[in-house]
Amino acid sequence: TGPARQGAALALGAACLGVALALGLALGTEPISLGRALMDPGSLDRVILLHARLPRVGLAAIAGGGLAAAGVAFQSVLRNPLAEPYVLGVSGGAALGATVAILFGFSGLTLIGATVVPFAAFVGGVLATLFVYALTFGRAASGTSILLSGIIVNAIASAAITFLKTIVSATKAQELLFWLMGFLDVPAPASLLFVSLYVALGAALLLRDAGRLNLLALGDEAAAHLGVDTRLLERRTVLACSCVVGAVVSVTGLIGFVGLLVPHVLRRLFGPDLRVLLPAC
């Protein structure tokens, strides 16, 4: 039954996540004792655990969950198995926003840079989404037209980033390259809270629409006959995913592949029902 499958998916996912979190905290370049880290407040083990590994592991879990959930929602609403945040231009727009902020030197300021660069990336992701819809203005924004518009926006953002890298110093270009490769360094505790909030809100919106998203597999006409406003659902889903992806990319840089691969792996394990897939992601 549906509830039984959803419960099994959540239980299996929680178990796998727990194992991954434990391994991420226990393993690293510097061996530590978890017992000493928990019992001795002044030990180096505690410093490494709380200030290095725990923020990274937490960010990895939150970012991975957000990108995977956005990926499965994009694939469903656009009816395309290759749809993912990077292809749709959201990640590219966020990367362009962060690139501009870094070029203006904000990353060199510890407190301000930790705030301005993520904010610029988030704004870039949201503006990229609005640009995608601007390209489809005046016609029915079908899944295909949104996907093609996203590819156009992503190409424009990539070209702009490449151009900016050619006109800066080698040191600044190396800094940009590091950011564009993706990373899990938490610039500030507030950044982790910021990402967690947006991922939680976006995931809640997607879970609320999971049943309606299932109906889109029947086609627009069939879904409309069953009471689904397909155009409104598409816009709502894309905007929710864009906020999630923009928030994640603003802190982690560009991390591809997760939003594309994870939904397909879980679809093979649990089937196509988004009421099960979204929590599993």
Side-chain angles (χ1 to χ4, degrees):
T1 61
R5 289 180 61 205
Q6 186 172 14
L10 288 174
L12 179 60
C16 293
L17 179 61
V19 172
L21 291 175
L23 291 175
L25 293 175
L27 303 178
T29 56
E30 181 70 23
I32 66 171
S33 169
L34 292 180
R36 186 163 52 247
L38 296 176
M39 299 300 297
D40 185 1
S43 65
L44 178 62
D45 301 67
R46 189 182 185 92
V47 174
I48 294 174
L49 177 67
L50 295 183
H51 297 284
R53 293 186 185 173
L54 187 59
R56 288 187 179 188
V57 169
L59 180 59
I62 294 168
L67 292 176
V72 74
F74 275 136
Q75 291 167 12
S76 175
V77 77
L78 301 179
R79 273 84 82 190
N80 191 310
L82 297 179
E84 56 135 345
Y86 187 81
V87 173
L88 290 170
V90 183
S91 297
L96 179 58
T99 297
V100 173
I102 291 173
L103 290 181
F104 277 100
F106 288 109
S107 62
L109 305 175
T110 54
L111 180 60
I112 298 178
T115 305
V116 173
V117 174
F119 179 74
F122 178 73
V123 171
V126 174
L127 290 178
T129 302
L130 297 177
F131 191 22
V132 167
Y133 275 103
L135 292 177
T136 61
F137 180 76
R139 61 182 71 85
S142 65
T144 301
S145 63
I146 293 174
L147 184 61
L148 292 175
S149 299
I151 293 173
I152 293 171
V153 172
N154 191 55
I156 294 173
S158 298
I161 292 172
T162 301
F163 172 74
L164 291 174
K165 286 193 295 185
T166 63
I167 62 175
V168 298
S169 65
T171 303
K172 188 65 69 174
Q174 187 175 12
E175 183 180 352
L176 289 175
L177 180 61
F178 173 78
W179 200 93
L180 294 172
M181 286 175 59
F183 55 93
L184 292 174
D185 290 332
V186 182
S191 300
L192 190 58
L193 179 62
F194 167 79
V195 176
S196 302
L197 177 63
Y198 270 89
V199 170
L201 290 175
L205 291 175
L206 294 176
L207 284 171
R208 188 193 66 172
D209 286 331
R212 299 182 184 91
L213 290 172
N214 281 336
L215 297 178
L216 292 180
L218 303 174
D220 287 349
E221 291 187 6
H225 284 308
L226 293 173
V228 177
D229 187 338
T230 57
R231 295 293 171 254
L232 179 60
L233 179 61
E234 286 177 355
R235 291 185 175 91
R236 187 165 63 234
T237 302
V238 171
L239 288 175
C241 292
S242 300
C243 288
V244 171
V245 175
V248 170
V249 173
S250 71
V251 179
T252 65
L254 289 179
I255 297 180
F257 201 60
V258 176
L260 176 64
L261 180 65
V262 172
H264 288 293
V265 172
L266 294 177
R267 195 175 285 113
R268 286 179 174 269
L269 293 175
F270 302 116
D273 188 353
L274 265 74
R275 294 173 298 178
V276 178
L277 272 180
L278 276 170
C281 286

